Amino acid sequence: MAGQCSGQLQFGFYNGKCRDRNGFQRDVEDIVKQKVKARFSTDTTIVAALLRMQFHDCFVNGCDASILLDVPNGEKTAPPNLSVRGYDFIEEIKTEIENTCPGVVSCADIIVMATRDAVSESDKKSRTGWYPVQTGRRDGRVSSAQNVKLPSPSIPVPQAIAAFNSKRLSTIDMVYLLGGGHSVGVAHCGLFQNRLYDFKNTGNPDPTMNTTLLKTLQTLCPQNSNSNNSANLDQDPLKSSSVDKSFFEQIRLGNGILEVDQQLALDSNTRFSVARIAGSNDFSFQFGRAMIKLGAVDVKTGKDGEIRRRCAAVNSPSGNSGRNIFNIFG
């Protein structure tokens, strides 16, 4: 069967495997790249959306695109995933690839390739954001909200380290993944309002927050309000839409929006790494390495899983992709 894996992820797994209906070879990674480039030109927020999607997918049952399945009580319905975006875009890429070489490319690989290309697009000025990705994943058949257990925005750093270690990701991997992932995108008031007025029942704001930032956020998110306003996770206005080391510079100044972000710069387990990254010139390379490791978490290869025809539904036994049968995997 086209798309069958050798049992391990590979760089360039799809080389020579995608032929269109006229028999011409097509470059799968280039198809994804061009779709991402076009989307980024009209929507730069797709970078944060895809980074978040890959993290949320890989941290639950491994990188198997289970987050994409439209199934009752599936991962999409879990509270941490209600604000995840980009499902339609991944399906759009999948449709184009299926129209070119059906049954070859997994949705799990599309998430990983598209995320890499979005990161690269965000860092065009320095041209250092690109990193190679391994491919050869297969798609999972099970998606359950009960399996979604993700680190919260206020998780203590030692607990965050333990969560990442459980996925065979090191402390430095965690620092790069959290910092890189939070170098773009926004957080809504509800995720950090606890830091602004009565932090940990002290009656005072979080003392680790920069006072200028505190005043700005208090105006943005008034006390006892249900404001849905948002703040950039990277507080450098010139760099808040690019994946770079700016985030680390900002949290060293007390400008972390989420509690866990600020604590990265203060906790004894991570503060020296944060300082080194803030002063380094190799962020993109090291972030890419961490993303490659994230993309290898509990993957399905070989005969495990399947190559979905549509990312939102598992394949039917008869091969009819139009028939929805995910109830049998409930």
Side-chain angles (χ1 to χ4, degrees), residues 1 44 205:
M1 170 182 169
T44 59

Tab-separated table of all heavy atoms in Angstrom, residues 1 44 205:
chain	number	residue	atom	x	y	z
A	1	MET	N	0.843	-1.194	0.000
A	1	MET	CA	0.000	0.000	0.000
A	1	MET	C	0.877	1.242	0.000
A	1	MET	O	1.861	1.325	0.719
A	1	MET	CB	-0.899	0.010	1.249
A	1	MET	CG	-1.631	1.311	1.474
A	1	MET	SD	-2.600	1.248	3.002
A	1	MET	CE	-3.040	2.980	3.144
A	44	THR	N	-1.358	35.871	9.534
A	44	THR	CA	-0.129	35.530	10.259
A	44	THR	C	-0.411	34.769	11.555
A	44	THR	O	0.492	34.139	12.105
A	44	THR	CB	0.681	36.792	10.589
A	44	THR	OG1	-0.118	37.680	11.384
A	44	THR	CG2	1.125	37.505	9.315
A	205	PRO	N	-1.359	41.798	43.552
A	205	PRO	CA	-0.958	41.215	42.261
A	205	PRO	C	0.272	40.334	42.414
A	205	PRO	O	0.967	40.376	43.436
A	205	PRO	CB	-0.657	42.449	41.400
A	205	PRO	CG	-1.292	43.596	42.104
A	205	PRO	CD	-1.267	43.266	43.559
